[in-house]
């Protein structure tokens, strides 16, 4: 049994993005709980990670069980299942660090696009409204699931993240720094999640058009502070 409150619980952790991110963070030394609506699938995914990363601290559980066992939760389930999950589990997220990696994606005429988020400008803001005391940070939304899953392929690029709690953002920055090749970029308040989400369909359309696996890099930043800078004097 993992040390409960120290693990990262991946809700929807058997999907491509959640599984890939869990795999990378497990290799970086994080204890991981893989969650799924079907506990058997979560157990199988945990076994797959242990096979790829010998010695990794990984267990599988049902989504709600995984949330209840830790104070750090990664929401990686498909957008179409998010509202139903929040309807039943929002209270269990109270006070926890909640890392939102969900992108509201759709496809129309062969082109990826954002679909409307009901009742909020972005997924991150929807989660925050559903769980007002959770410390929500939108992050890891622009990473290729395919690249994450291939441990032989180095990662490269920037992880842009945002949230209204500076300490929660600093915690996410520390996780990003555990993944070689990635740089954390603090984008400030959660209202910026809508812009971070919009980058993902662009990258997917570029991937399809150019048969590539793209990522992003923000130029002109030497380093990124973990907290909000003091306002400039006019």
């Amino acid at each position: 049994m993992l040390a409960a409150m120290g693990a990262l619980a991946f809700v929807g952790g058997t999907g491509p993005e959640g599984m890939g991110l869990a795999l990378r963070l497990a290799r970086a030394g994080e204890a991981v709980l893989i969650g799924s609506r079907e506990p058997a699938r979560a157990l199988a995914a945990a076994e797959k990670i242990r096979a790829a990363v010998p010695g990794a601290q990984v267990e599988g559980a049902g989504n709600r069980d995984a949330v209840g066992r830790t104070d750090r939760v990664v929401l990686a389930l498909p957008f179409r299942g998010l509202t139903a999950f929040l309807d039943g589990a929002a209270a269990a997220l109270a006070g926890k660090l909640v890392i939102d990696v969900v992108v509201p994606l759709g496809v129309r005429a062969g082109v990826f696009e954002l679909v409307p988020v009901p009742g909020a400008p972005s997924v991150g803001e929807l989660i925050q409204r559903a769980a007002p005391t959770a410390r929500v940070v939108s992050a890891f939304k622009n990473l290729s699931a395919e690249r994450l899953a291939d441990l032989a392929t180095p990662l490269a690029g920037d992880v842009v993240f945002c949230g209204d709690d500076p300490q929660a953002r600093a915690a996410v920055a520390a996780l990003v720094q555990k993944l070689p090749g990635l740089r954390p970029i603090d984008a400030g308040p959660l209202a910026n999640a809508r812009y971070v989400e919009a980058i993902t369909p662009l990258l997917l359309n570029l991937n399809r058009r150019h048969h590539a696996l793209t990522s992003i890099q923000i130029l002109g930043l030497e380093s990124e502070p973990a907290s909000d800078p003091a306002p400039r004097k006019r």
Side-chain angles (χ1 to χ4, degrees):
M1 180 73 69
L2 296 176
M5 302 313 283
L8 275 169
F10 285 79
V11 173
T14 58
E17 192 74 17
M19 183 71 171
L21 192 56
L23 180 66
R24 292 281 181 164
L25 286 168
R27 187 171 71 167
E30 288 287 331
V32 167
L33 273 167
I34 299 294
S36 173
R37 289 184 301 173
E38 302 175 21
R41 290 186 62 196
L43 292 170
E47 180 58 34
K48 183 176 180 180
I49 292 177
R50 285 194 295 270
V53 185
Q57 300 180 70
V58 188
E59 292 182 8
N63 279 331
R64 294 194 186 183
D65 182 27
V67 169
R69 289 172 56 186
T70 183
D71 57 5
R72 299 188 300 164
V73 178
V74 180
L75 294 185
L77 67 173
F79 174 65
R80 63 182 178 274
L82 178 62
T83 300
F85 172 78
L86 292 174
D87 285 345
L93 300 176
K96 299 179 188 285
L97 172 63
V98 177
I99 304 172
D100 149 47
V101 305
V102 181
V103 179
L105 280 174
V107 181
R108 180 166 52 180
V111 176
F112 289 98
E113 63 180 10
L114 291 183
V115 300
V117 178
S122 68
V123 171
E125 290 161 288
L126 174 68
I127 296 167
Q128 189 68 81
R129 293 178 186 183
T133 64
R135 301 181 299 133
V136 179
V137 179
S138 291
F140 300 108
K141 291 181 181 257
N142 310 135
L143 293 180
S144 162
E146 185 176 345
R147 191 177 293 276
L148 284 169
D150 182 3
L151 290 178
T153 301
L155 299 176
D158 291 337
V159 175
V160 180
F161 59 92
C162 54
D164 292 335
D165 184 315
Q167 291 183 334
R169 296 202 309 270
V172 171
L175 286 175
V176 176
Q177 289 170 335
K178 290 188 172 188
L179 301 177
L182 298 183
R183 179 178 64 158
I185 299 293
D186 188 335
L190 193 58
N192 283 322
R194 65 197 78 172
Y195 309 118
V196 177
E197 291 172 5
I199 296 171
T200 301
L202 171 63
L203 295 179
L204 290 171
N205 288 324
L206 288 172
N207 291 347
R208 176 172 287 183
R209 182 177 182 84
H210 297 282
H211 307 288
L213 290 176
T214 54
S215 60
I216 63 169
Q217 184 177 37
I218 308 299
L219 301 180
L221 297 178
E222 295 298 326
S223 61
E224 189 64 18
S227 59
D228 293 323
R232 293 181 179 179
K233 294 181 180 179
R234 293 185 177 273

